[in-house]
PDB file of all heavy atoms in Angstrom:
ATOM      1  N   ASN R   7      17.520   0.705  -4.371  1.00 67.00           N
ATOM      2  CA  ASN R   7      18.142   1.603  -3.399  1.00 67.00           C
ATOM      3  C   ASN R   7      17.766   1.313  -1.953  1.00 67.00           C
ATOM      4  O   ASN R   7      18.514   1.647  -1.047  1.00 67.00           O
ATOM      5  CB  ASN R   7      17.758   3.059  -3.725  1.00 67.00           C
ATOM      6  CG  ASN R   7      18.237   3.482  -5.103  1.00 67.00           C
ATOM      7  OD1 ASN R   7      19.313   3.095  -5.530  1.00 67.00           O
ATOM      8  ND2 ASN R   7      17.424   4.262  -5.800  1.00 67.00           N
ATOM      9  N   ASN R   8      16.604   0.721  -1.718  1.00 65.00           N
ATOM     10  CA  ASN R   8      16.129   0.593  -0.337  1.00 65.00           C
ATOM     11  C   ASN R   8      15.547  -0.791  -0.073  1.00 65.00           C
ATOM     12  O   ASN R   8      14.461  -0.911   0.471  1.00 65.00           O
ATOM     13  CB  ASN R   8      15.057   1.656  -0.051  1.00 65.00           C
ATOM     14  CG  ASN R   8      15.540   3.061  -0.319  1.00 65.00           C
ATOM     15  OD1 ASN R   8      16.348   3.595   0.420  1.00 65.00           O
ATOM     16  ND2 ASN R   8      15.052   3.655  -1.395  1.00 65.00           N
ATOM     17  N   PHE R   9      16.290  -1.815  -0.436  1.00 70.00           N
ATOM     18  CA  PHE R   9      15.730  -3.159  -0.315  1.00 70.00           C
ATOM     19  C   PHE R   9      16.763  -4.104   0.263  1.00 70.00           C
ATOM     20  O   PHE R   9      17.913  -4.124  -0.178  1.00 70.00           O
ATOM     21  CB  PHE R   9      15.277  -3.648  -1.698  1.00 70.00           C
ATOM     22  CG  PHE R   9      14.250  -4.733  -1.651  1.00 70.00           C
ATOM     23  CD1 PHE R   9      12.938  -4.451  -1.338  1.00 70.00           C
ATOM     24  CD2 PHE R   9      14.596  -6.044  -1.920  1.00 70.00           C
ATOM     25  CE1 PHE R   9      11.980  -5.449  -1.302  1.00 70.00           C
ATOM     26  CE2 PHE R   9      13.654  -7.046  -1.884  1.00 70.00           C
ATOM     27  CZ  PHE R   9      12.338  -6.748  -1.577  1.00 70.00           C
ATOM     28  N   ASP R  10      16.352  -4.875   1.260  1.00 73.00           N
ATOM     29  CA  ASP R  10      17.248  -5.830   1.913  1.00 73.00           C
ATOM     30  C   ASP R  10      16.946  -7.228   1.371  1.00 73.00           C
ATOM     31  O   ASP R  10      15.948  -7.842   1.731  1.00 73.00           O
ATOM     32  CB  ASP R  10      17.048  -5.790   3.430  1.00 73.00           C
ATOM     33  CG  ASP R  10      18.119  -6.589   4.167  1.00 73.00           C
ATOM     34  OD1 ASP R  10      18.797  -7.412   3.519  1.00 73.00           O
ATOM     35  OD2 ASP R  10      18.275  -6.395   5.385  1.00 73.00           O
ATOM     36  N   TYR R  11      17.824  -7.722   0.502  1.00 73.00           N
ATOM     37  CA  TYR R  11      17.589  -9.018  -0.132  1.00 73.00           C
ATOM     38  C   TYR R  11      17.806 -10.186   0.821  1.00 73.00           C
ATOM     39  O   TYR R  11      17.407 -11.306   0.525  1.00 73.00           O
ATOM     40  CB  TYR R  11      18.500  -9.164  -1.356  1.00 73.00           C
ATOM     41  CG  TYR R  11      18.248  -8.104  -2.394  1.00 73.00           C
ATOM     42  CD1 TYR R  11      19.056  -6.975  -2.471  1.00 73.00           C
ATOM     43  CD2 TYR R  11      17.184  -8.215  -3.273  1.00 73.00           C
ATOM     44  CE1 TYR R  11      18.813  -5.986  -3.412  1.00 73.00           C
ATOM     45  CE2 TYR R  11      16.932  -7.234  -4.216  1.00 73.00           C
ATOM     46  CZ  TYR R  11      17.749  -6.125  -4.281  1.00 73.00           C
ATOM     47  OH  TYR R  11      17.498  -5.145  -5.205  1.00 73.00           O
ATOM     48  N   SER R  12      18.418  -9.923   1.954  1.00 73.00           N
ATOM     49  CA  SER R  12      18.587 -10.988   2.939  1.00 73.00           C
ATOM     50  C   SER R  12      17.292 -11.253   3.703  1.00 73.00           C
ATOM     51  O   SER R  12      17.119 -12.305   4.303  1.00 73.00           O
ATOM     52  CB  SER R  12      19.697 -10.624   3.933  1.00 73.00           C
ATOM     53  OG  SER R  12      19.351  -9.467   4.683  1.00 73.00           O
ATOM     54  N   ILE R  13      16.370 -10.288   3.670  1.00 77.00           N
ATOM     55  CA  ILE R  13      15.070 -10.452   4.333  1.00 77.00           C
ATOM     56  C   ILE R  13      14.020 -10.919   3.327  1.00 77.00           C
ATOM     57  O   ILE R  13      13.328 -11.909   3.543  1.00 77.00           O
ATOM     58  CB  ILE R  13      14.630  -9.134   4.998  1.00 77.00           C
ATOM     59  CG1 ILE R  13      15.630  -8.721   6.085  1.00 77.00           C
ATOM     60  CG2 ILE R  13      13.226  -9.270   5.583  1.00 77.00           C
ATOM     61  CD1 ILE R  13      15.314  -7.389   6.719  1.00 77.00           C
ATOM     62  N   TYR R  14      13.911 -10.180   2.228  1.00 78.00           N
ATOM     63  CA  TYR R  14      12.927 -10.521   1.196  1.00 78.00           C
ATOM     64  C   TYR R  14      13.651 -11.311   0.107  1.00 78.00           C
ATOM     65  O   TYR R  14      14.064 -10.767  -0.918  1.00 78.00           O
ATOM     66  CB  TYR R  14      12.286  -9.251   0.649  1.00 78.00           C
ATOM     67  CG  TYR R  14      11.632  -8.423   1.731  1.00 78.00           C
ATOM     68  CD1 TYR R  14      12.231  -7.256   2.203  1.00 78.00           C
ATOM     69  CD2 TYR R  14      10.432  -8.827   2.299  1.00 78.00           C
ATOM     70  CE1 TYR R  14      11.635  -6.509   3.207  1.00 78.00           C
ATOM     71  CE2 TYR R  14       9.832  -8.083   3.304  1.00 78.00           C
ATOM     72  CZ  TYR R  14      10.442  -6.927   3.750  1.00 78.00           C
ATOM     73  OH  TYR R  14       9.856  -6.195   4.745  1.00 78.00           O
ATOM     74  N   THR R  15      13.784 -12.593   0.360  1.00 79.00           N
ATOM     75  CA  THR R  15      14.638 -13.421  -0.486  1.00 79.00           C
ATOM     76  C   THR R  15      13.937 -13.936  -1.735  1.00 79.00           C
ATOM     77  O   THR R  15      14.594 -14.457  -2.636  1.00 79.00           O
ATOM     78  CB  THR R  15      15.158 -14.622   0.318  1.00 79.00           C
ATOM     79  OG1 THR R  15      14.042 -15.325   0.885  1.00 79.00           O
ATOM     80  CG2 THR R  15      16.068 -14.154   1.447  1.00 79.00           C
ATOM     81  N   TYR R  16      12.623 -13.814  -1.792  1.00 85.00           N
ATOM     82  CA  TYR R  16      11.896 -14.259  -2.984  1.00 85.00           C
ATOM     83  C   TYR R  16      10.983 -13.127  -3.437  1.00 85.00           C
ATOM     84  O   TYR R  16      10.267 -12.539  -2.630  1.00 85.00           O
ATOM     85  CB  TYR R  16      11.070 -15.510  -2.686  1.00 85.00           C
ATOM     86  CG  TYR R  16      10.522 -16.166  -3.937  1.00 85.00           C
ATOM     87  CD1 TYR R  16      11.253 -17.129  -4.611  1.00 85.00           C
ATOM     88  CD2 TYR R  16       9.276 -15.803  -4.442  1.00 85.00           C
ATOM     89  CE1 TYR R  16      10.764 -17.722  -5.763  1.00 85.00           C
ATOM     90  CE2 TYR R  16       8.781 -16.387  -5.590  1.00 85.00           C
ATOM     91  CZ  TYR R  16       9.524 -17.351  -6.249  1.00 85.00           C
ATOM     92  OH  TYR R  16       9.043 -17.926  -7.389  1.00 85.00           O
ATOM     93  N   ARG R  17      11.008 -12.844  -4.727  1.00 88.00           N
ATOM     94  CA  ARG R  17      10.264 -11.707  -5.256  1.00 88.00           C
ATOM     95  C   ARG R  17       9.381 -12.153  -6.419  1.00 88.00           C
ATOM     96  O   ARG R  17       9.809 -12.947  -7.260  1.00 88.00           O
ATOM     97  CB  ARG R  17      11.234 -10.613  -5.723  1.00 88.00           C
ATOM     98  CG  ARG R  17      12.072 -10.042  -4.595  1.00 88.00           C
ATOM     99  CD  ARG R  17      13.285  -9.304  -5.090  1.00 88.00           C
ATOM    100  NE  ARG R  17      14.251 -10.177  -5.759  1.00 88.00           N
ATOM    101  CZ  ARG R  17      15.106 -10.967  -5.122  1.00 88.00           C
ATOM    102  NH1 ARG R  17      15.103 -11.013  -3.801  1.00 88.00           N
ATOM    103  NH2 ARG R  17      15.955 -11.723  -5.791  1.00 88.00           N
ATOM    104  N   THR R  18       8.173 -11.626  -6.458  1.00 90.00           N
ATOM    105  CA  THR R  18       7.249 -11.882  -7.561  1.00 90.00           C
ATOM    106  C   THR R  18       6.900 -10.558  -8.215  1.00 90.00           C
ATOM    107  O   THR R  18       6.398  -9.645  -7.554  1.00 90.00           O
ATOM    108  CB  THR R  18       5.961 -12.565  -7.065  1.00 90.00           C
ATOM    109  OG1 THR R  18       6.288 -13.813  -6.455  1.00 90.00           O
ATOM    110  CG2 THR R  18       5.007 -12.811  -8.230  1.00 90.00           C
ATOM    111  N   TYR R  19       7.182 -10.452  -9.490  1.00 91.00           N
ATOM    112  CA  TYR R  19       6.856  -9.249 -10.253  1.00 91.00           C
ATOM    113  C   TYR R  19       5.540  -9.484 -10.990  1.00 91.00           C
ATOM    114  O   TYR R  19       5.415 -10.447 -11.751  1.00 91.00           O
ATOM    115  CB  TYR R  19       7.967  -8.931 -11.254  1.00 91.00           C
ATOM    116  CG  TYR R  19       9.306  -8.661 -10.609  1.00 91.00           C
ATOM    117  CD1 TYR R  19      10.227  -9.694 -10.420  1.00 91.00           C
ATOM    118  CD2 TYR R  19       9.643  -7.387 -10.175  1.00 91.00           C
ATOM    119  CE1 TYR R  19      11.452  -9.459  -9.815  1.00 91.00           C
ATOM    120  CE2 TYR R  19      10.871  -7.140  -9.574  1.00 91.00           C
ATOM    121  CZ  TYR R  19      11.764  -8.181  -9.395  1.00 91.00           C
ATOM    122  OH  TYR R  19      12.980  -7.946  -8.793  1.00 91.00           O
ATOM    123  N   VAL R  20       4.585  -8.614 -10.765  1.00 93.00           N
ATOM    124  CA  VAL R  20       3.279  -8.730 -11.405  1.00 93.00           C
ATOM    125  C   VAL R  20       3.162  -7.627 -12.447  1.00 93.00           C
ATOM    126  O   VAL R  20       3.260  -6.440 -12.121  1.00 93.00           O
ATOM    127  CB  VAL R  20       2.141  -8.610 -10.371  1.00 93.00           C
ATOM    128  CG1 VAL R  20       0.784  -8.736 -11.062  1.00 93.00           C
ATOM    129  CG2 VAL R  20       2.287  -9.677  -9.294  1.00 93.00           C
ATOM    130  N   VAL R  21       2.963  -8.014 -13.698  1.00 91.00           N
ATOM    131  CA  VAL R  21       2.867  -7.049 -14.794  1.00 91.00           C
ATOM    132  C   VAL R  21       1.557  -7.262 -15.536  1.00 91.00           C
ATOM    133  O   VAL R  21       1.000  -8.364 -15.545  1.00 91.00           O
ATOM    134  CB  VAL R  21       4.056  -7.182 -15.770  1.00 91.00           C
ATOM    135  CG1 VAL R  21       5.366  -6.900 -15.064  1.00 91.00           C
ATOM    136  CG2 VAL R  21       4.088  -8.571 -16.396  1.00 91.00           C
ATOM    137  N   SER R  22       1.078  -6.199 -16.149  1.00 90.00           N
ATOM    138  CA  SER R  22      -0.154  -6.281 -16.930  1.00 90.00           C
ATOM    139  C   SER R  22       0.118  -6.924 -18.282  1.00 90.00           C
ATOM    140  O   SER R  22       1.229  -6.836 -18.816  1.00 90.00           O
ATOM    141  CB  SER R  22      -0.748  -4.885 -17.135  1.00 90.00           C
ATOM    142  OG  SER R  22      -1.065  -4.284 -15.906  1.00 90.00           O
ATOM    143  N   SER R  23      -0.886  -7.542 -18.836  1.00 90.00           N
ATOM    144  CA  SER R  23      -0.742  -8.170 -20.145  1.00 90.00           C
ATOM    145  C   SER R  23      -0.370  -7.120 -21.191  1.00 90.00           C
ATOM    146  O   SER R  23      -0.919  -6.017 -21.214  1.00 90.00           O
ATOM    147  CB  SER R  23      -2.052  -8.855 -20.544  1.00 90.00           C
ATOM    148  OG  SER R  23      -3.123  -7.927 -20.540  1.00 90.00           O
ATOM    149  N   GLY R  24       0.584  -7.460 -22.030  1.00 86.00           N
ATOM    150  CA  GLY R  24       1.049  -6.539 -23.056  1.00 86.00           C
ATOM    151  C   GLY R  24       2.190  -5.642 -22.624  1.00 86.00           C
ATOM    152  O   GLY R  24       2.785  -4.945 -23.454  1.00 86.00           O
ATOM    153  N   ASP R  25       2.531  -5.664 -21.341  1.00 86.00           N
ATOM    154  CA  ASP R  25       3.612  -4.809 -20.834  1.00 86.00           C
ATOM    155  C   ASP R  25       4.934  -5.574 -20.901  1.00 86.00           C
ATOM    156  O   ASP R  25       5.512  -5.953 -19.877  1.00 86.00           O
ATOM    157  CB  ASP R  25       3.298  -4.370 -19.403  1.00 86.00           C
ATOM    158  CG  ASP R  25       4.244  -3.281 -18.913  1.00 86.00           C
ATOM    159  OD1 ASP R  25       5.143  -2.884 -19.681  1.00 86.00           O
ATOM    160  OD2 ASP R  25       4.086  -2.836 -17.763  1.00 86.00           O
ATOM    161  N   ASP R  26       5.414  -5.784 -22.110  1.00 89.00           N
ATOM    162  CA  ASP R  26       6.647  -6.549 -22.302  1.00 89.00           C
ATOM    163  C   ASP R  26       7.870  -5.799 -21.787  1.00 89.00           C
ATOM    164  O   ASP R  26       8.852  -6.419 -21.364  1.00 89.00           O
ATOM    165  CB  ASP R  26       6.833  -6.879 -23.788  1.00 89.00           C
ATOM    166  CG  ASP R  26       5.717  -7.767 -24.325  1.00 89.00           C
ATOM    167  OD1 ASP R  26       5.154  -8.543 -23.530  1.00 89.00           O
ATOM    168  OD2 ASP R  26       5.400  -7.674 -25.527  1.00 89.00           O
ATOM    169  N   LEU R  27       7.816  -4.470 -21.814  1.00 89.00           N
ATOM    170  CA  LEU R  27       8.961  -3.683 -21.357  1.00 89.00           C
ATOM    171  C   LEU R  27       9.222  -3.908 -19.866  1.00 89.00           C
ATOM    172  O   LEU R  27      10.371  -4.079 -19.453  1.00 89.00           O
ATOM    173  CB  LEU R  27       8.723  -2.199 -21.636  1.00 89.00           C
ATOM    174  CG  LEU R  27       9.842  -1.247 -21.181  1.00 89.00           C
ATOM    175  CD1 LEU R  27      11.152  -1.580 -21.887  1.00 89.00           C
ATOM    176  CD2 LEU R  27       9.439   0.207 -21.442  1.00 89.00           C
ATOM    177  N   SER R  28       8.160  -3.928 -19.062  1.00 87.00           N
ATOM    178  CA  SER R  28       8.327  -4.149 -17.623  1.00 87.00           C
ATOM    179  C   SER R  28       8.876  -5.540 -17.343  1.00 87.00           C
ATOM    180  O   SER R  28       9.710  -5.728 -16.450  1.00 87.00           O
ATOM    181  CB  SER R  28       6.991  -3.959 -16.900  1.00 87.00           C
ATOM    182  OG  SER R  28       6.565  -2.614 -16.973  1.00 87.00           O
ATOM    183  N   THR R  29       8.413  -6.513 -18.112  1.00 90.00           N
ATOM    184  CA  THR R  29       8.935  -7.875 -17.954  1.00 90.00           C
ATOM    185  C   THR R  29      10.427  -7.919 -18.246  1.00 90.00           C
ATOM    186  O   THR R  29      11.214  -8.517 -17.497  1.00 90.00           O
ATOM    187  CB  THR R  29       8.191  -8.836 -18.893  1.00 90.00           C
ATOM    188  OG1 THR R  29       6.792  -8.811 -18.585  1.00 90.00           O
ATOM    189  CG2 THR R  29       8.713 -10.253 -18.743  1.00 90.00           C
ATOM    190  N   GLN R  30      10.825  -7.272 -19.328  1.00 91.00           N
ATOM    191  CA  GLN R  30      12.242  -7.240 -19.697  1.00 91.00           C
ATOM    192  C   GLN R  30      13.075  -6.534 -18.635  1.00 91.00           C
ATOM    193  O   GLN R  30      14.161  -6.998 -18.264  1.00 91.00           O
ATOM    194  CB  GLN R  30      12.403  -6.528 -21.040  1.00 91.00           C
ATOM    195  CG  GLN R  30      13.846  -6.389 -21.505  1.00 91.00           C
ATOM    196  CD  GLN R  30      13.960  -5.586 -22.791  1.00 91.00           C
ATOM    197  OE1 GLN R  30      12.967  -5.345 -23.475  1.00 91.00           O
ATOM    198  NE2 GLN R  30      15.165  -5.162 -23.108  1.00 91.00           N
ATOM    199  N   LYS R  31      12.566  -5.419 -18.112  1.00 89.00           N
ATOM    200  CA  LYS R  31      13.293  -4.670 -17.087  1.00 89.00           C
ATOM    201  C   LYS R  31      13.455  -5.493 -15.807  1.00 89.00           C
ATOM    202  O   LYS R  31      14.497  -5.434 -15.146  1.00 89.00           O
ATOM    203  CB  LYS R  31      12.559  -3.363 -16.781  1.00 89.00           C
ATOM    204  CG  LYS R  31      12.599  -2.342 -17.908  1.00 89.00           C
ATOM    205  CD  LYS R  31      14.006  -1.833 -18.142  1.00 89.00           C
ATOM    206  CE  LYS R  31      14.030  -0.741 -19.192  1.00 89.00           C
ATOM    207  NZ  LYS R  31      15.416  -0.250 -19.453  1.00 89.00           N
ATOM    208  N   ALA R  32      12.419  -6.256 -15.450  1.00 88.00           N
ATOM    209  CA  ALA R  32      12.502  -7.083 -14.247  1.00 88.00           C
ATOM    210  C   ALA R  32      13.564  -8.167 -14.397  1.00 88.00           C
ATOM    211  O   ALA R  32      14.334  -8.438 -13.466  1.00 88.00           O
ATOM    212  CB  ALA R  32      11.142  -7.710 -13.947  1.00 88.00           C
ATOM    213  N   VAL R  33      13.629  -8.786 -15.572  1.00 90.00           N
ATOM    214  CA  VAL R  33      14.637  -9.817 -15.824  1.00 90.00           C
ATOM    215  C   VAL R  33      16.037  -9.212 -15.759  1.00 90.00           C
ATOM    216  O   VAL R  33      16.952  -9.774 -15.133  1.00 90.00           O
ATOM    217  CB  VAL R  33      14.394 -10.484 -17.193  1.00 90.00           C
ATOM    218  CG1 VAL R  33      15.544 -11.423 -17.537  1.00 90.00           C
ATOM    219  CG2 VAL R  33      13.076 -11.245 -17.186  1.00 90.00           C
ATOM    220  N   GLU R  34      16.214  -8.060 -16.394  1.00 89.00           N
ATOM    221  CA  GLU R  34      17.524  -7.398 -16.370  1.00 89.00           C
ATOM    222  C   GLU R  34      17.910  -7.003 -14.949  1.00 89.00           C
ATOM    223  O   GLU R  34      19.078  -7.113 -14.555  1.00 89.00           O
ATOM    224  CB  GLU R  34      17.490  -6.163 -17.268  1.00 89.00           C
ATOM    225  CG  GLU R  34      17.332  -6.480 -18.751  1.00 89.00           C
ATOM    226  CD  GLU R  34      17.168  -5.233 -19.595  1.00 89.00           C
ATOM    227  OE1 GLU R  34      17.066  -4.125 -18.996  1.00 89.00           O
ATOM    228  OE2 GLU R  34      17.132  -5.340 -20.834  1.00 89.00           O
ATOM    229  N   PHE R  35      16.936  -6.553 -14.175  1.00 86.00           N
ATOM    230  CA  PHE R  35      17.192  -6.155 -12.794  1.00 86.00           C
ATOM    231  C   PHE R  35      17.658  -7.341 -11.959  1.00 86.00           C
ATOM    232  O   PHE R  35      18.634  -7.249 -11.204  1.00 86.00           O
ATOM    233  CB  PHE R  35      15.918  -5.551 -12.202  1.00 86.00           C
ATOM    234  CG  PHE R  35      16.035  -5.158 -10.763  1.00 86.00           C
ATOM    235  CD1 PHE R  35      16.775  -4.052 -10.387  1.00 86.00           C
ATOM    236  CD2 PHE R  35      15.394  -5.892  -9.780  1.00 86.00           C
ATOM    237  CE1 PHE R  35      16.883  -3.686  -9.055  1.00 86.00           C
ATOM    238  CE2 PHE R  35      15.495  -5.535  -8.450  1.00 86.00           C
ATOM    239  CZ  PHE R  35      16.241  -4.430  -8.082  1.00 86.00           C
ATOM    240  N   GLU R  36      16.985  -8.476 -12.094  1.00 85.00           N
ATOM    241  CA  GLU R  36      17.371  -9.665 -11.337  1.00 85.00           C
ATOM    242  C   GLU R  36      18.726 -10.197 -11.786  1.00 85.00           C
ATOM    243  O   GLU R  36      19.510 -10.681 -10.965  1.00 85.00           O
ATOM    244  CB  GLU R  36      16.299 -10.742 -11.478  1.00 85.00           C
ATOM    245  CG  GLU R  36      15.016 -10.459 -10.717  1.00 85.00           C
ATOM    246  CD  GLU R  36      15.205 -10.542  -9.211  1.00 85.00           C
ATOM    247  OE1 GLU R  36      16.147 -11.235  -8.764  1.00 85.00           O
ATOM    248  OE2 GLU R  36      14.413  -9.929  -8.477  1.00 85.00           O
ATOM    249  N   ASP R  37      19.013 -10.112 -13.078  1.00 85.00           N
ATOM    250  CA  ASP R  37      20.329 -10.534 -13.566  1.00 85.00           C
ATOM    251  C   ASP R  37      21.431  -9.660 -12.972  1.00 85.00           C
ATOM    252  O   ASP R  37      22.513 -10.156 -12.618  1.00 85.00           O
ATOM    253  CB  ASP R  37      20.372 -10.459 -15.095  1.00 85.00           C
ATOM    254  CG  ASP R  37      19.522 -11.536 -15.751  1.00 85.00           C
ATOM    255  OD1 ASP R  37      19.172 -12.515 -15.056  1.00 85.00           O
ATOM    256  OD2 ASP R  37      19.203 -11.396 -16.947  1.00 85.00           O
ATOM    257  N   THR R  38      21.153  -8.372 -12.846  1.00 82.00           N
ATOM    258  CA  THR R  38      22.129  -7.456 -12.253  1.00 82.00           C
ATOM    259  C   THR R  38      22.375  -7.794 -10.791  1.00 82.00           C
ATOM    260  O   THR R  38      23.518  -7.782 -10.314  1.00 82.00           O
ATOM    261  CB  THR R  38      21.636  -6.003 -12.376  1.00 82.00           C
ATOM    262  OG1 THR R  38      21.434  -5.686 -13.752  1.00 82.00           O
ATOM    263  CG2 THR R  38      22.656  -5.041 -11.778  1.00 82.00           C
ATOM    264  N   ILE R  39      21.307  -8.119 -10.072  1.00 78.00           N
ATOM    265  CA  ILE R  39      21.450  -8.498  -8.660  1.00 78.00           C
ATOM    266  C   ILE R  39      22.315  -9.747  -8.532  1.00 78.00           C
ATOM    267  O   ILE R  39      23.219  -9.825  -7.693  1.00 78.00           O
ATOM    268  CB  ILE R  39      20.074  -8.752  -8.024  1.00 78.00           C
ATOM    269  CG1 ILE R  39      19.254  -7.470  -7.993  1.00 78.00           C
ATOM    270  CG2 ILE R  39      20.230  -9.311  -6.609  1.00 78.00           C
ATOM    271  CD1 ILE R  39      17.838  -7.682  -7.513  1.00 78.00           C
ATOM    272  N   ALA R  40      22.039 -10.736  -9.382  1.00 77.00           N
ATOM    273  CA  ALA R  40      22.791 -11.991  -9.321  1.00 77.00           C
ATOM    274  C   ALA R  40      24.271 -11.762  -9.596  1.00 77.00           C
ATOM    275  O   ALA R  40      25.137 -12.377  -8.969  1.00 77.00           O
ATOM    276  CB  ALA R  40      22.203 -12.990 -10.313  1.00 77.00           C
TER     277      ALA R  40
END
Side-chain angles (χ1 to χ4, degrees):
N7 299 323
N8 304 288
F9 202 75
D10 190 343
Y11 299 98
S12 63
I13 298 176
Y14 303 104
T15 55
Y16 191 89
R17 297 162 294 281
T18 300
Y19 299 92
V20 180
V21 298
S22 299
S23 57
D25 190 359
D26 297 331
L27 179 61
S28 294
T29 301
Q30 178 184 346
K31 291 294 184 181
V33 172
E34 293 174 354
F35 177 72
E36 287 291 336
D37 289 343
T38 301
I39 295 174

